Amino acid sequence: MSEEVKKFKITIDGQTTEVLPGTSILEAARQIGGKSVPPAMCYYKPLESSGGRCRTCLVEVSKGSDADSRPMPKLVASCRTSVMDGMEVKNLTSEKTQEARKAVTEFLLINHPLDCPICDQAGECHLQDLGYEHGLERTRTEFERRTFEPEDIGPNIKLNMNRCILCARCVLVANQLTENREHGILFRGEHAEISTNLNKALENDFIGNVIDVCPVGALTDRTARFASRVWFTKPMNATCECSKCAGKAVVWMKGEEVIRVTARKDQYDEVQDWICDDCRFHKKDLKYWTIEGPRHIDRHSVISLNHYEKPKNMISLLDNPDAKELSDKDEK
C-alpha cells in the first residue's frame, strides 16, 4: 500500500486549510475562497508555466513554516510560491500587500488607455476591476503613452496593443492548443508587443481561445465587435454537435439573437473546456444550439446585474442550480 501524502497546513488572513505539497499560495487561497484570494492577471491554471509576470498577486508571508517561523523579507508572488507546512500569509490584512497592489495597478495603467466606454471587454475586464479597487484618480506620469494602431490578426480576431499588459496568456494558449504558433512577444522592455510574424493571420481551429484568456480588451471577437454591451446580454449554457470540440459553450443572447459565443469558465474566469473556432465564430444562430439554462456568472462586475438572483447561501459555483432568472416583477 502506498503511504498517504502528508498535507501542509497554511493560514491565510486567519483562515486555515490543508493542501498537498507543491501547491501554490494562490491555489491554497482559492481553496479557502472569499475575498482572501489574491487577484491574478497573468496566472491561468489550465496553462502550463503561466504566472509570475504581472505581480498583482503579491502577498506577505508573516511566517515561513513551523520549521522556520521567520517571515519572508519581501512580498512574494503567490502564484509562484509553494506552500510550506505551518505557513502564515497576509493578503487583505497586510498594508504592505495593499500598497504594493496599488503600485502594480498604477504601473499596469501607465500605458493602458482609459477607453472603457468603447471597449468590448468593459464589464468583464479584470484590469477594470483592479483600477476601480486600487487605481488612482489620475496618472502621475508626464510622458506620452505608447500607442499602436488596431490590427486584424485573422478574419475573426482584432488586436489592440494599446490595451495589452503583456501577460502572455495568449501566447501560452497558442503553444498549448496549436501545433504551429504564429504570434508571440516581439522585442524587449518598453518596446515589447504582441504581434504576428510578417502580419500572418491566426487561423488555427482553436486560436479563438486567445480571446477568452485575455484579461483585458487587447484581443476581441470581430464577429461580435460593438454588437452589444455585455450587461445587456444574457449568458446561457448551450451545447451543439461538434466534431472538433466538446460543443459545450456559453451563448450570450440579446433577445433571440446570439451576440457572441464563449467557452465556459469557472469562478476565477478560467476556461473549463476549450471550444473550436467553428462554435465560437460561425454558429451565431439558435438553430445550432440546445439551450440548457442561464449561466450564473459569479463575479463582482456588472454581468449578472439585474439578470440573475444569487443563491442565499452564496456558494461560489458557476453551474449553480439555485441561480434563477429574475422576473420583471422582482426587478422592480
Side-chain angles (χ1 to χ4, degrees), residues 66-83:
D66 285 339
D68 186 353
S69 60
R70 292 177 299 176
M72 290 190 178
K74 296 181 180 180
L75 301 181
V76 299
S78 60
C79 66
R80 286 298 185 111
T81 306
S82 297
V83 168

Side-chain angles (χ1 to χ4, degrees), residues 10 17 37 90 93 106 124 127 135 151 176 180 224 252 310:
I10 179 174
T17 188
V37 181
K90 293 181 179 179
T93 57
E106 182 179 10
E124 51 184 353
L127 188 56
E151 180 182 356
Q176 181 171 318
N180 298 314
W252 298 75
K310 291 186 177 180

Side-chain angles (χ1 to χ4, degrees), residues 123-124 230-231 233 235 252 297 299 301-305 307-308:
E124 51 184 353
V230 66
W231 52 86
T233 62
W252 298 75
I297 305 296
R299 290 198 49 202
S301 63
V302 299
I303 300 176
S304 294
L305 184 62
H307 285 320
Y308 302 101

